């Protein structure tokens, strides 16, 4: 049998393999990107499931439209307007997690050997999703205020045929960094100037627990070239795989047929449950609980890091989201640290997989949303000891 | 902005567009492929949703593994063994409908300009899913016993680098035809001889209401080259989008990373609900109800066709599934018939879209699973009148 060439560029995700190792209950894992499951609104979901099946069972269990359940798209529209994005129901499509928005973007935009532009580092599973369509990646360096616009313009000048700029402006995965307001505006200016699409991936934006909210890049989009992706995974629950995309009519016409041929539509029962939840309960109150928990865990983790990690390590100070980024002195390999840490039953994700073209082996990602206090304290203590054995 | 070349080959599905027109309640539609919604086991699903949330809420709402929920895969394994397929849990992966199995097959196998082989005609949304990866289609003629093996071998000889053979052996969409036992064995022999993969798409196999069951092509697979796709859409409900694939370890290793980058995993709550339903209730009893209804509707439709359609029309005699295929005298265009039928508020799908390379405009597909008796009688009566105005 013969397979497609793309198989050579895709292998089982390193994170997934790491997660498998770290599933053992004795391991304190800062590796995954899991929300705190004790916060899932289980009783409310029980009520909502019954209500959907009581009032609307035949539609909830039947085939449905590719674009998604209209009342859910209306509720999303309203939330997006609150964030400064002036949109309409027709510009919203429900996706199977925001991950599917990435795969569909690959389908819509990427031909073999095309260039796509992303932050350095960037979300691992976005790299995998795009690699399916065989592009080359140009990475744009970041600082604490996100992608550096001068560097972006350099890349745009060098590669006039680049297909899109991929960015996670809020509490980026993996770094936890947030793009500044002025850079968001500049990003749209540059996209207009160089006639290129922007994919704004925003799964964490509503989980801000410090600092001031900054409007999404999409809110500055004057020419309908920003594709906005988001999800209920971090503000409700990920199990249902309900995400969405927001894009102009011209772009949506490209996306819908590919969504259709990929899975016809996303689980309509889960769509109705999500819509009904927002109708019967206050999701904003629920998000406040999530923020309070993550704020606390993030503060505790930073406190522990400052106490336990040796001099020479640096880390980011996220104002929201689930992740923090650690930089070790040059020459120290996070993968080797990982192996020793695993012997001490503590885990994280080595950073090099977040660079599409490799490198930066002295970095790693920490997740703080999924572990209770005592495990954060103990895990960072152990990790500090391991790091001290590497950094003399 | 610049888009990928594949956009030129994909447009909004004709069926979807037709379904939109036919959503009006006054239209008697034989166009869609919808199961009978009045048969969905709503009360049982209510019980099962509560049970899953009562016993297992945190896992049901959290991220999960790409391969799928193990108890569901075990239950599927058992059902497949009953059909003569000797398999194990590791060879089963849950997909977002069997439609996703088609998209993933495109990812695993197809490079631009590769040849893939299919029945003529074949499932419209499979054509769309594969076209995303820019192959050429070689169509193999069928007769009442399915794909003609001599014709298949001719194609295999002509195209030594073809990537896979795509077949729907049971109650094929769109024709309703079933591949004979001897041809299934011959298909595996030919696949072995020409070292090619086979994708067996079997969404309808368990909905046989006449004749004797024939083991799946996969049950004759001696070299691990048949990828078997199926779904709960026709035997439980389609809304949850729970399908599965069964393939050898070598093949599964190729599929899993693409599933991962496409949507991480399928709705885990829906997976658990499906598994719990099979644990607490007897799905085979439920399938018997579906079969009885579809058998009745199919018989009624044939009876009406024989009474109402003019001489010169031919139709298939499906022993299961949801569809029947009608052939009009050469020269009569089903699309023109469709326009007139729509004025009489009756709809079907013109057949030419089911041929990847076009042609056969004198054919159309009828669905009999979704309409109650009186609408079948009235719809076929009206359609008969329309046909009589075309066939003098």
């Amino acid at each position: 049998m013969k397979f497609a060439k793309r198989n050579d560029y895709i292998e089982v995700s390193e994170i997934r393999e790491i997660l498998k190792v770290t599933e053992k209950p004795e391991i304190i894992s800062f590796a995954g990107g899991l929300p705190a499951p004790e916060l899932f609104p289980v009783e409310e979901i029980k009520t909502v499931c019954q209500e959907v099946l009581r009032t609307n069972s035949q539609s909830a269990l039947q085939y449905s439209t590719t674009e998604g359940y209209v009342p859910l798209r209306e509720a999303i529209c309203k939330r997006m307007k609150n964030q400064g994005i002036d949109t309409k129901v027709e510009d919203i499509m429900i996706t199977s997690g925001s991950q599917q928005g990435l795969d569909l973007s690959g389908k819509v935009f990427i031909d073999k050997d095309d260039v796509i532009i992303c932050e350095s580092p960037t979300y691992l599973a976005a790299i995998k999703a795009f690699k399916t369509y065989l592009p080359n990646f140009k990475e744009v360096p970041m600082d604490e205020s996100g992608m550096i616009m001068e560097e972006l313009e350099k890349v745009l000048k060098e590669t006039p045929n680049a297909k899109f700029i991929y960015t996670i402006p809020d509490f980026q995965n993996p770094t936890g960094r947030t793009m500044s307001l002025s850079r968001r505006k500049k990003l749209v200016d540059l996209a207009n100037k160089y006639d290129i699409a922007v994919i704004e991936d925003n799964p964490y934006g509503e989980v801000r627990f410090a600092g001031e909210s900054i409007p999404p890049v999409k809110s500055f989009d004057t020419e309908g070239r920003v594709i906005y992706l988001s999800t209920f995974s971090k503000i409700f629950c990920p199990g249902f795989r309900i995400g969405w995309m927001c894009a102009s009519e011209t772009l949506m016409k490209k996306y819908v047929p590919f969504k259709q041929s990929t899975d016809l539509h996303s689980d309509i029962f889960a769509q109705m449950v999500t819509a009904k939840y927002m109708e019967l309960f206050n999701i904003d109150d629920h998000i406040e609980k999530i923020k309070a928990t993550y704020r606390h865990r993030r503060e505790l983790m930073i406190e522990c890091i400052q106490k336990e990690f040796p001099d020479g390590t640096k880390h980011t100070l996220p104002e929201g989201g689930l992740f923090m980024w650690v930089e070790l002195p040059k020459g120290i390999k996070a993968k080797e640290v990982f192996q020793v840490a695993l012997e001490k039953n503590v885990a994280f994700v080595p950073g090099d997989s977040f660079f599409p073209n490799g490198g930066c082996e002295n970095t790693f990602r920490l997740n703080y949303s999924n572990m209770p206090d005592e495990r954060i304290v103990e895990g960072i203590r152990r990790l500090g000891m391991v790091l001290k054995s590497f950094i003399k």
Side-chain angles (χ1 to χ4, degrees), chain A:
Chain A
M1 286 182 284
K2 289 161 287 286
F3 301 99
K5 286 183 203 86
R6 65 177 67 82
N7 288 276
D8 304 342
Y9 304 93
I10 301 282
E11 56 306 322
V12 171
S13 145
E14 199 159 337
I15 286 201
R16 283 271 156 187
E17 291 311 294
I18 286 173
L19 285 178
K20 273 188 191 167
V21 179
T22 61
E23 265 170 14
K24 295 180 209 159
E26 67 269 24
I27 292 203
I28 299 175
S29 177
F30 305 125
L34 305 183
E38 64 274 23
L39 300 180
F40 296 149
V42 177
E43 290 308 315
E44 291 85 342
I45 292 174
K46 273 188 194 168
T47 304
V48 161
C49 285
Q50 293 307 293
E51 198 54 21
V52 166
L53 289 170
R54 193 180 67 77
T55 56
N56 220 345
S57 61
Q58 291 201 358
S59 311
L61 302 172
Q62 185 60 288
Y63 283 111
S64 188
T65 56
T66 300
E67 293 85 345
Y69 184 52
V70 171
L72 178 60
R73 291 157 69 205
E74 282 168 351
I76 289 169
C77 224
K78 222 163 146 189
R79 292 192 76 73
M80 295 198 55
K81 278 185 184 158
N82 292 342
Q83 289 168 39
I85 298 174
D86 182 28
T87 186
K88 54 189 197 300
V89 172
E90 292 72 27
D91 295 346
I92 309 284
M93 178 167 74
I94 304 302
T95 55
S96 301
S98 57
Q99 184 69 32
Q100 187 178 55
L102 300 172
D103 177 56
L104 296 178
S105 297
K107 285 178 165 137
V108 167
F109 285 101
I110 307 175
D111 285 320
K112 187 171 179 299
D113 298 327
D114 275 348
V115 171
I116 61 175
I117 300 170
C118 65
E119 284 146 359
S120 180
T122 190
Y123 173 46
L124 175 53
I127 301 174
K128 300 275 174 182
F130 298 147
K131 271 195 176 171
T132 302
Y133 305 96
L134 304 171
N136 295 308
F137 291 84
K138 290 264 185 174
E139 299 175 43
V140 179
M142 305 176 82
D143 61 20
E144 290 314 308
S145 305
M147 203 186 260
I148 298 167
M149 289 300 127
E150 293 70 28
E151 300 285 343
L152 172 61
E153 186 154 19
K154 250 191 249 167
V155 172
L156 287 167
K157 268 187 196 153
E158 281 164 25
T159 48
N161 288 313
K163 284 295 184 71
F164 60 74
I165 304 163
Y166 172 68
T167 178
I168 310 160
D170 291 87
F171 329 124
Q172 197 227 22
N173 182 355
T175 64
R177 288 172 185 144
T178 295
M179 189 187 286
S180 67
L181 178 64
S182 59
R183 288 197 190 170
R184 289 175 194 226
K185 290 178 181 170
K186 182 72 183 172
L187 175 57
V188 172
D189 288 347
L190 289 174
N192 288 345
K193 180 172 168 191
Y194 290 90
D195 187 23
I196 185 170
V198 175
I199 297 171
E200 177 178 30
D201 192 3
N202 190 17
Y204 319 110
E206 295 205 65
V207 190
R208 173 182 278 277
F209 45 68
E212 296 250 323
S213 274
I214 306 175
V217 175
K218 176 76 184 156
S219 69
F220 304 110
D221 183 16
T222 48
E223 300 184 355
R225 58 174 74 249
V226 179
I227 297 121
Y228 178 93
L229 308 179
S230 194
T231 176
F232 286 96
S233 292
K234 311 305 186 291
I235 57 173
F236 183 48
C237 55
F240 290 136
R241 313 301 305 116
I242 299 297
W244 72 89
M245 56 172 292
C246 172
S248 65
E249 202 187 332
T250 315
L251 285 163
M252 202 53 95
K253 271 192 189 152
K254 306 269 179 196
Y255 275 81
V256 172
F258 288 117
K259 164 72 179 164
Q260 197 175 91
S261 63
T262 297
D263 63 3
L264 302 183
H265 62 84
S266 297
D267 182 342
I268 178 68
F269 178 74
Q271 292 185 55
M272 286 187 174
V273 165
T274 306
K276 187 60 88 178
Y277 171 80
M278 288 197 284
E279 185 194 320
L280 298 185
F281 301 96
N282 188 332
I283 194 172
D284 291 308
D285 289 351
H286 178 64
I287 296 172
E288 286 307 317
K289 283 185 213 159
I290 296 172
K291 287 188 203 174
T293 303
Y294 293 5
R295 179 191 298 118
H296 169 76
R297 290 182 180 174
R298 176 265 200 194
E299 276 165 19
L300 180 62
M301 186 175 270
I302 288 182
E303 202 180 286
C304 295
I305 285 178
Q306 284 168 352
K307 206 170 109 199
E308 307 285 359
F309 279 19
D311 288 348
T313 58
K314 283 187 265 182
H315 63 86
T316 55
L317 293 168
E319 297 189 324
L322 285 68
F323 303 110
M324 194 179 298
W325 184 246
V326 180
E327 211 181 307
L328 302 173
K330 284 233 159 66
I332 293 180
K333 292 192 168 129
K335 270 189 182 160
E336 291 174 8
V337 176
F338 176 77
Q339 288 307 330
V340 181
L342 213 54
E343 287 166 23
K344 308 284 179 210
N345 285 336
V346 59
F348 54 79
V349 184
D352 59 327
S353 333
F354 297 95
F355 297 86
N357 302 313
C360 294
E361 296 182 322
N362 61 322
T363 56
F364 63 89
R365 190 189 76 177
L366 289 174
N367 166 269
Y368 48 79
S369 60
N370 190 243
M371 283 285 134
D373 288 12
E374 64 280 10
R375 303 203 98 192
I376 291 179
V377 173
E378 178 58 20
I380 296 296
R381 194 188 65 78
R382 290 187 204 167
L383 192 50
M385 282 175 52
V386 173
L387 285 172
K388 281 173 193 153
S389 73
F390 279 85
I391 304 167
K392 307 287 170 177

